[in-house]
């Protein structure tokens, strides 16, 4: 503190200038799960996998509702997924057809691996906390927005290096027009309706159906 006969006393605290406390990893993951149940935003999601063409997708999100419009690779450009929270439509531009299924209730986010907060960083031009899970030869890193707690970036790493990376870019938070989550079939499109479950990730599909197999070799442009 500084005091004098003609001056008021000023007290300085070093805590006012201290760096923000690093939050617990499990608390961050729980906060992320809660935030993503009600998050509203628009952005562009990019996904890159080793040995496969990258994907670029416009994404609108309102809690469980979402709309995805593929920009790349060329084989998927123009494909659309609309999930209104009750039904899901996946439209394939190439053959002007769509599949309609029931929307999946979002499962509670759970991580079996030990998690730790490894520090702060930046993703999509925003301040983020970085959480790491798993072992040295098979681990994941998640960048969680410090302000909104949504997942900005995620990476899966193995002993060979980065195997997969997902990132949100050009983020715009705020109310999303409800019409984004209303499906309108393009002219002449065929629609197949099924009570089956639609999976966009192979590991989740395999977990639900142990008999599932996939080709060892895929046509160019497919993952």
């Amino acid at each position: 503190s500084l005091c004098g006969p003609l001056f008021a006393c000023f007290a300085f605290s070093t805590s006012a200038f201290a760096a923000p406390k690093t939050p617990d990893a499990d608390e961050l993951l729980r906060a992320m799960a809660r935030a993503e149940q009600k998050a509203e935003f628009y952005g562009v999601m990019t996904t890159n996998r080793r040995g496969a063409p990258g994907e670029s997708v416009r994404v609108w999100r309102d809690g469980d509702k979402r709309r995805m419009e593929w920009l790349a690779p060329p084989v998927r450009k123009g494909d659309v997924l609309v999930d209104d929270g009750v039904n899901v439509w996946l439209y394939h531009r190439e053959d002007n057809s769509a599949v309609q299924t029931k929307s999946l209730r979002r499962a509670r986010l759970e991580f079996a691996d030990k998690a730790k907060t490894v520090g702060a960083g930046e993703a999509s031009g925003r301040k983020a906390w970085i959480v790491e899970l798993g072992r040295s030869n098979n681990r994941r890193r998640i960048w969680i927005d410090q302000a909104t707690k949504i997942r900005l970036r995620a990476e899966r790493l193995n002993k060979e290096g980065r195997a997969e990376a997902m990132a949100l870019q050009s983020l715009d938070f705020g109310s999303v027009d409800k019409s984004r989550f209303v499906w309108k079939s393009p002219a002449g499109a065929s629609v197949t309706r099924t009570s089956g479950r639609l999976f966009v990730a192979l590991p989740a599909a395999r977990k639900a159906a142990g008999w599932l197999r996939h080709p060892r070799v895929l046509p160019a442009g497919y993952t």
Side-chain angles (χ1 to χ4, degrees):
S1 62
L2 296 177
C3 299
L6 300 179
F7 300 96
C9 292
F10 296 90
F12 297 93
S13 172
T14 56
S15 62
F17 304 98
K21 181 181 177 182
T22 301
D24 176 75
D26 291 328
E27 290 179 2
L28 274 174
L29 292 173
R30 285 192 291 268
M32 182 184 77
R34 291 192 298 269
E36 292 187 346
Q37 288 177 349
K38 57 183 180 180
E40 282 191 79
F41 63 84
Y42 160 79
V44 176
M45 181 176 69
T46 60
T47 305
N48 291 285
R49 302 178 181 90
R50 180 178 295 154
E55 286 192 356
S56 180
V57 187
R58 288 194 185 99
V59 178
W60 290 264
R61 183 81 180 264
D62 182 357
D64 283 346
K65 298 178 182 179
R66 58 182 173 153
R67 183 185 183 93
M68 304 171 67
E69 297 181 356
W70 272 261
L71 304 172
V75 72
R76 295 216 62 185
K77 186 175 182 180
D79 289 0
V80 178
L81 183 147
V82 175
D83 184 346
D84 65 7
V86 177
N87 294 296
V88 181
W89 290 265
L90 179 58
Y91 172 73
H92 298 281
R93 172 197 54 81
E94 186 72 19
D95 55 7
N96 197 24
S97 69
V99 175
Q100 178 194 342
T101 67
K102 291 298 182 182
S103 180
L104 293 177
R105 176 176 288 183
R106 301 289 183 262
R108 189 166 61 116
L109 188 66
E110 294 182 351
F111 294 99
D113 296 321
K114 179 68 175 176
K116 62 179 180 179
T117 307
V118 294
E122 188 175 289
S124 306
R126 300 176 63 88
K127 293 181 179 179
W129 294 111
I130 305 171
V131 174
E132 189 169 289
L133 307 96
R135 300 172 297 279
S136 59
N137 63 343
N138 184 18
R139 64 189 191 276
R140 287 176 289 169
R141 287 179 184 159
I142 301 173
W143 280 252
I144 300 174
D145 187 20
Q146 292 187 10
T148 67
K149 299 302 186 290
I150 73 163
R151 185 175 353 201
L152 298 173
R153 180 178 177 86
E155 293 182 351
R156 184 170 61 84
L157 303 99
N158 55 30
K159 60 183 179 181
E160 298 174 351
R162 191 172 68 189
E164 184 176 10
M166 179 283 293
L168 287 172
Q169 301 171 344
S170 305
L171 279 169
D172 183 3
F173 291 96
S175 180
V176 177
D177 191 329
K178 306 309 178 188
S179 66
R180 292 289 183 185
F181 311 111
V182 177
W183 167 253
K184 296 180 180 179
S185 294
S190 62
V191 179
T192 301
R193 292 175 172 83
T194 174
S195 59
R197 299 171 64 187
L198 176 66
F199 292 90
V200 295
L202 183 60
R206 278 179 163 169
K207 187 175 181 180
W211 48 263
L212 184 66
R213 299 292 181 270
H214 70 94
R216 291 180 179 273
V217 180
L218 296 175
Y222 285 88
T223 58

